[in-house]
């Protein structure tokens, strides 16, 4: 990727992030509700309330509060949580690995399943197999992730209890890990039993997130592959005697992957946002579940830190997808 393009994207990302900071800071302060009211004890005096408000800087004007917070963010300080009385950056650092592992697991499932849907539909195009897959894909696309989550809890957690429906791991298992990246560190340390337990706890929420995304990936990849299959170089490959499977994987899939990759990156950001409700349904201890608690408690510093974290993730994913798209497409790489 040319250096000028990298600098342009980085500048655009910085401007976007500052815009997100301004918008979320203003919005959380103009909505009804007072975070101090959630903290004061019954019978607290006006002086106690004023002192508490001054302690958190809520007695200043909104722009004074913003510039103080902006300066803190530049120094890596996201403030102190009003409801949890802890450093916001520490809280997010403890919860973020859980959400990242869940999102990556769900994305992997969605890419594999969506790719399988596209390949089978393309290989059996014009048959009942394609029609059946399209109908099933339509159902996956129409049902939102939280409905899938509630269905999984009812069917596989209550009626036929096959998998755990809450938490991140069995509380009775102490793996003695140093970080919150359970899967990664567990694999590196050879604690495969613990990793398997973590994956079982992640399976249902990951499926709830992955099903709608897999439907989108499968539909777009299939349509792109259908367009590729009528190109001249596909006909040339058939004349050369290449097998149908080799043509499908080596020619059609490779050339159809770039548009699907761009879409996957965009949808992945929506998947991250979808963890908010899904984590709540499965009592999964990630930043999505934390975000709901922060909103309920009107915890302004925590809300700001979480939205800023989501914004950074979204921007980073989009920049990574842009870089991969340019790398995979020679015409963009040499432009």
């Amino acid at each position: 990727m040319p250096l000028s393009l990298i600098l342009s994207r980085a500048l655009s990302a910085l401007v976007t992030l500052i815009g997100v900071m301004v918008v979320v800071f203003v919005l959380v302060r103009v909505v009804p509700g007072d975070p101090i009211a959630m903290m004061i004890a019954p019978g607290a005096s006006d002086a106690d309330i004023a002192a508490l408000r001054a302690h958190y800087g809520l007695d200043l004007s909104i722009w004074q509060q913003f510039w103080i917070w902006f300066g803190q963010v530049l120094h890596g300080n996201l403030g102190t949580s009003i409801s949890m009385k802890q450093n916001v950056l520490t809280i997010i650092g403890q919860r973020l690995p859980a959400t990242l592992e869940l999102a990556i697991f769900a994305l992997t499932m969605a890419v594999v399943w969506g790719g399988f849907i596209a390949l089978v539909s393309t290989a059996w195009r014009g048959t009942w197999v394609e029609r059946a897959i399209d109908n099933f894909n339509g159902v996956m696309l129409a049902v939102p992730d939280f409905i899938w989550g509630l269905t999984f809890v009812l069917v596989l957690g209550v009626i036929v209890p096959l998998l755990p429906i809450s938490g991140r791991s069995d509380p009775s298992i102490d793996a003695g890990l140093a970080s919150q990246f359970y899967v990664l560190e567990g694999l590196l340390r050879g604690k495969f039993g613990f990793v398997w337990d973590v994956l079982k706890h992640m399976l249902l929420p990951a499926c709830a997130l992955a099903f709608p995304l897999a439907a989108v990936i499968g539909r777009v990849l299939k349509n792109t592959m259908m367009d590729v299959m009528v190109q001249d170089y596909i006909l040339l490959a058939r004349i050369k005697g290449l097998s149908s499977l080799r043509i499908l994987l080596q020619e059609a899939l490779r050339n159809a992957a770039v548009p699907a990759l761009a879409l996957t990156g965009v949808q992945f950001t929506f998947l991250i946002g979808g963890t908010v409700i899904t984590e709540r349904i499965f009592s999964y201890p990630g930043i999505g579940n934390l975000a709901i608690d922060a909103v309920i408690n009107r915890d302004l510093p925590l809300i700001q830190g979480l939205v800023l974290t989501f914004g950074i993730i979204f921007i980073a994913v989009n920049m990574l997808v842009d870089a991969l798209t340019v790398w995979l497409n020679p015409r963009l790489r040499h432009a």
Side-chain angles (χ1 to χ4, degrees), residues 28-29 31 35 58 65 82 294 297-305:
V28 297
R29 280 162 174 76
V31 296
L58 298 178
Q65 295 180 48
I82 294 176
N297 295 320
R298 287 280 296 165
D299 194 332
L300 303 187
L302 187 54
I303 294 173
Q304 293 162 187

Side-chain angles (χ1 to χ4, degrees), residues 8-318:
S8 174
R9 296 291 171 83
L11 180 60
S12 176
L14 180 61
V15 172
T16 301
L17 194 58
I18 293 175
V20 169
M21 294 174 65
V22 173
V23 170
V24 68
F25 192 91
V26 172
L27 285 180
V28 297
R29 280 162 174 76
V30 299
V31 296
D34 184 2
I36 301 301
M38 307 287 291
M39 304 173 59
I40 57 176
S45 65
D46 292 340
D48 294 332
I49 297 174
L52 194 59
R53 192 177 299 278
H55 174 72
Y56 287 100
L58 298 178
D59 58 333
L60 303 174
S61 69
I62 188 171
W63 293 114
Q64 286 177 307
Q65 295 180 48
F66 175 77
W67 287 117
I68 292 174
W69 179 64
F70 187 78
Q72 291 176 337
V73 171
L74 293 180
H75 290 87
N77 179 15
L78 299 182
T80 302
S81 167
I82 294 176
S83 60
M84 303 177 70
K85 307 297 189 298
Q86 297 180 42
N87 184 277
V88 170
L89 191 60
T90 301
I91 298 172
I92 294 176
Q94 293 172 346
R95 296 289 195 98
L96 182 59
T99 296
L100 290 179
E101 288 193 340
L102 175 62
I104 293 172
F105 188 28
L107 177 66
T108 302
M109 294 175 60
V111 170
V112 171
W113 182 241
F116 175 78
I117 289 174
L119 288 172
V120 174
S121 296
T122 305
W124 276 276
R125 56 192 180 279
T127 67
W128 66 270
V129 175
E130 180 190 5
R131 292 191 294 272
I133 290 178
D134 285 347
N135 290 333
F136 180 69
N137 201 43
V139 173
M140 291 176 59
L141 187 61
V143 179
D145 48 25
F146 68 90
I147 297 296
W148 284 116
L150 292 172
T151 303
F152 291 151
V153 168
L154 177 62
V155 176
L156 298 177
V158 178
I159 298 177
V160 185
L162 296 178
L163 292 167
I165 56 174
S166 65
R168 195 180 176 195
S169 64
D170 189 337
S172 64
I173 301 177
D174 183 13
L177 301 183
S179 73
Q180 296 297 315
F181 288 97
Y182 287 179
V183 175
L184 178 60
E185 186 177 349
L187 289 174
L188 292 176
R189 292 192 174 204
K191 299 181 181 292
F192 301 115
F194 177 73
V195 171
W196 174 242
D197 180 69
V198 173
L199 291 177
K200 285 193 299 183
H201 280 78
M202 280 201 299
L203 185 58
L204 292 184
C207 285
L209 292 168
F211 273 21
L213 178 57
V216 174
I217 294 174
R219 175 167 295 184
V220 171
L221 187 58
K222 173 201 167 185
N223 292 338
T224 308
M225 290 180 67
M226 289 291 193
D227 293 337
V228 170
M229 291 298 290
V230 298
Q231 300 298 317
D232 292 338
Y233 58 84
I234 297 294
L235 178 59
L236 181 60
R238 294 186 189 280
I239 294 174
K240 289 181 178 179
L242 298 181
S243 65
S244 298
L245 181 60
R246 186 174 176 183
I247 292 173
L248 196 64
L249 297 177
Q250 182 174 312
E251 302 294 338
L253 181 60
R254 184 180 63 182
N255 288 282
V258 174
L261 173 65
L263 174 74
T264 301
V266 173
Q267 291 295 320
F268 181 65
T269 59
F270 292 116
L271 184 147
I272 291 286
T275 60
V276 174
I277 298 179
T278 302
E279 287 183 2
R280 195 67 170 187
I281 292 173
F282 290 94
S283 299
Y284 190 82
I287 60 173
N289 204 351
L290 182 65
I292 294 179
D293 289 334
V295 172
I296 292 174
N297 295 320
R298 287 280 296 165
D299 194 332
L300 303 187
L302 187 54
I303 294 173
Q304 293 162 187
L306 287 169
V307 174
L308 183 62
T309 301
F310 278 116
I312 292 173
I313 293 174
F314 293 167
I315 291 171
V317 169
N318 287 327

